[in-house]
Amino acid sequence: MANTKQASACETCPVHHAGNLIRLGIKLDNVDFVIALAGNPNTGKSTVFNALTGLRQHTGNWPGKTVTRAEGAFMYAEKRYKIVDLPGTYSLLSASTDEEVARDFILFGQPDVTVIVADATRLERNLNLVLQVLEITNRAVVCLNLIDEAKRHGLQVDERLLAKELGVPVVATAARQGEGIPELLQAIDEVAAGKVICKPHRIGNESPALKRALEVLVKQIESQFPGLPNARWVALRLLEGDKRITEALRSGELGDLGRPLTVAQEAAGV
Amino acid sequence: MSDKNPKTIETILSTASTLRWEVGEDMHESLMEAIYRDAARISGRVVAEAGKKPRFNWDRALDRLLTNRWTGFPIMLLILAVVFWITIAGANVPSGMLASLLVDTLHPALKSFATSIGTPGWLNGLLIDGMYLAMAWVVSVMLPPMAIFFPLFTLLEDFGYLPRVAFNLDNMFRKAGAHGKQALSMSMGYGCNAAGIIATRVIDSPRERLIAIITNNFALCNGRWPTQILVASLFIGALAPAGLAGFVSAAAVVGVTLLGVFLTFAVSWALSRTILRGEASTFSLELPPYRPPRILKTLYTSLVDRTIFVLWRAVVFAIPAGAVIWLLANIHLSGASLAEHIVNWLDPFGWLIGLNGVILLAYIIAIPANEIVIPTILMLTVLVAGLAGVGAGAGVMFELGDDSAYLAVFSAGGWTLLTAINLMLFSLIHNPCSTTIYTIYKETGSVKWTTVSALLPVVMGMLVCFFVAQVWRLAGG
């Protein structure tokens, strides 16, 4: 859905589009795009999920509340979206079950957009996860949630600078109050439709030895799997001896991520 | 499917394992450090602390009070007691109103309607006296306390109090060889044990998760509160002077709740030293900031998602149970109803553990839903004691208007203070309801652990009641 002609001011206004949100609850058929919802525990992922889908996934002010993958749907700007609420994790590196569920979905589930919900009052710690997700996928939107709480604590977050640093759209929200949801929807829509191309931040200051090793391995991987969006991350996992990734490489599951989906696969919602 | 040559994939893998040696052992750490450095640099650039910090930090101050070594526990108990008190006091009036509508008004109307269209007596007995009344009872007894308890609990949850409870209890759980997050699944168990079992998914280690599943039953669920509250106010509250009766009966319920917490620790401890041996795993629990609860939204979601859901489940189970009770009371064999036969047969064993045959039969009938224990007991007691002028006939579940009417029925059934105490104990320590058992099976996938979870508490309950009965009889004569 490439926009060739200049959109009118009305159409680009988030307020206009907010009216386009149709919450579909659990009607998951015929989706155009799949969205993954990742983030640290207790940052309001489920609240964002509910705001988008109209579902009432149980929310509660304690970490670890979402124990299963919840799925819901919504329609925005005439596109149908499926959204998957992943368990909250602090990292995607060490291998507890919930981290694996989250990582595998972001990697193998090939969401069209990964929305990373970050707590604006604890940005530094939340960025650890954001940066890890951005290593895996280059289609992401950061939802800077709890911005109202940050303001109350006297914190000011420059979301435009953050977007520039991270290379992906950043939207400040207060999901409990529904603030920023229209803007979030628009950002999701733009990334999903390819109107905005992300250039995600990648970790750059590794040790010289690691850098050299990565260069060699990335070259090999890229020549075998051109189009793989995250060759560097795969190389890192292989260097760490990650069993799941090694297996996925052998079975061809990983290599397939590089190629565009066939129409049949798309229709099947793969 | 990949058309890539498997050989080249193996080349990549072998390159990776060769390079792994060059990179060295500390790769994981250096990678983490790189991430941390970048995160710190970025957040340092984009976050600015505007102006002065608020002079008073509410979160810090509240945490100091709520998780303090000395004040944490008393405040926890106080909050628990206040929640119960509001539930008990607030539920009385709407319960009575619902009962008078569903039982006193609608039931006779249905009966006379059924008679007027000429339904056979056995059919309208089974449908209206059995099934409809069981449902009416469950709705009128359960709906008001649930509609108060669940929103209160959800408000506390929304506010951020639950992680503080987990924080307070963590140390005790660890000493018992269990996981600190068990405090969270236990709290959910106070609403519904099946929900508590599902909540144990937050525990990663299978060993600790099993402990949490097996002991979740010691958190009094919603279906057992009415039993506790009614028996406590009739028998225990009555021991105190009138002015203090409410306070004393609330204290008795809190006491049983605390006994449940104690048993949770004791059984967790015993399990982690016998069949589920192992080290307690560590975890980091983040104390989230307190957030003003969204009152209207919480009311709405906890009413729709929790209250109606649990109520619906109870109704679904109560209807067939109502039919069973009616049939037991109305099928006669050699001069007495089936119910009377079973009660007489169970009586000696019931006496041994300080209960009676009626209570035991009620607990068998009420396996699908604890909510129907009290109505079943009342109905069976009236039937067996042959009370005239109470209730509405054989196998009809009914609700009595006031406390003295309950007491009259119970004393006709030969109840003593011991029966009341042991009923409260047995209500705490007996098998989980069938929904919970099924949930345990689904979550563990193991017949063995499901059996252990179902049988351990009921055997324990019988032992505890037996012990209390013997001590009572030795001491009191």
Side-chain angles (χ1 to χ4, degrees), chain A residues 38-43 45 62-65 86-96 98-100 102-103 116-117 119 122-133, chain B residues 32 35-36 39 163 181 204 283-289:
Chain A
N40 279 20
N42 211 43
T43 50
K45 277 186 308 303
W62 50 285
K65 178 198 56 60
L86 300 173
T89 57
Y90 294 104
S91 142
L92 297 176
L93 290 175
S94 54
S96 72
D98 41 357
E99 289 187 11
E100 220 171 280
R103 186 195 78 180
I116 316 160
V117 183
D119 178 349
R122 287 155 180 76
L123 189 62
E124 179 175 343
R125 202 193 49 206
N126 278 253
L127 279 179
N128 291 328
L129 180 76
V130 173
L131 293 175
Q132 289 176 43
V133 174
Chain B
M32 287 303 283
I35 292 173
Y36 280 30
K181 281 191 198 164
D204 276 330
F283 71 106
S284 60
L285 177 76
E286 192 181 344
L287 292 183

Side-chain angles (χ1 to χ4, degrees), chain B residues 199-392:
Chain B
T200 61
R201 290 181 190 171
V202 297
I203 299 170
D204 276 330
S205 129
R207 181 189 77 88
E208 289 159 338
R209 197 171 161 211
L210 269 176
I211 293 179
I213 287 177
I214 295 171
T215 56
N216 194 272
N217 191 42
F218 296 122
L220 273 179
C221 73
N222 185 73
R224 295 185 268 170
W225 293 117
T227 312
Q228 297 289 347
I229 292 163
L230 182 73
V231 176
S233 48
L234 283 185
F235 288 89
I236 315 247
L239 295 176
L244 287 173
F247 176 75
V248 168
S249 38
V253 178
V254 172
V256 171
T257 313
L258 289 182
L259 178 65
V261 176
F262 169 77
L263 285 174
T264 303
F265 287 128
V267 173
S268 300
W269 183 84
L271 286 173
S272 72
R273 263 150 198 82
T274 53
I275 46 177
L276 287 168
R277 212 169 315 190
E279 287 299 305
S281 54
T282 54
F283 71 106
S284 60
L285 177 76
E286 192 181 344
L287 292 183
Y290 294 97
R291 291 176 182 146
R294 293 156 299 173
I295 299 190
L296 285 179
K297 197 170 159 77
T298 302
L299 279 177
Y300 177 77
T301 43
S302 61
L303 277 179
V304 172
D305 291 353
R306 287 191 173 178
T307 310
I308 302 298
F309 172 79
V310 175
L311 186 72
W312 174 244
R313 191 189 75 80
V315 167
V316 165
F317 281 112
I319 290 174
V324 168
I325 296 168
W326 189 86
L327 288 173
L328 283 178
N330 284 281
I331 296 177
H332 289 261
L333 265 181
S334 52
S337 69
L338 267 182
E340 279 168 281
H341 283 296
I342 300 173
V343 166
N344 289 336
W345 181 72
L346 286 171
D347 246 344
F349 180 66
W351 183 85
L352 198 65
I353 60 173
L355 297 171
N356 58 42
V358 166
I359 297 176
L360 291 181
L361 177 58
Y363 268 99
I364 295 170
I365 293 174
I367 286 176
N370 281 299
E371 293 79 8
I372 55 173
V373 164
I374 284 288
T376 310
I377 288 176
L378 285 174
M379 190 277 294
L380 291 170
T381 304
V382 170
L383 188 74
V384 175
L387 280 185
V390 186

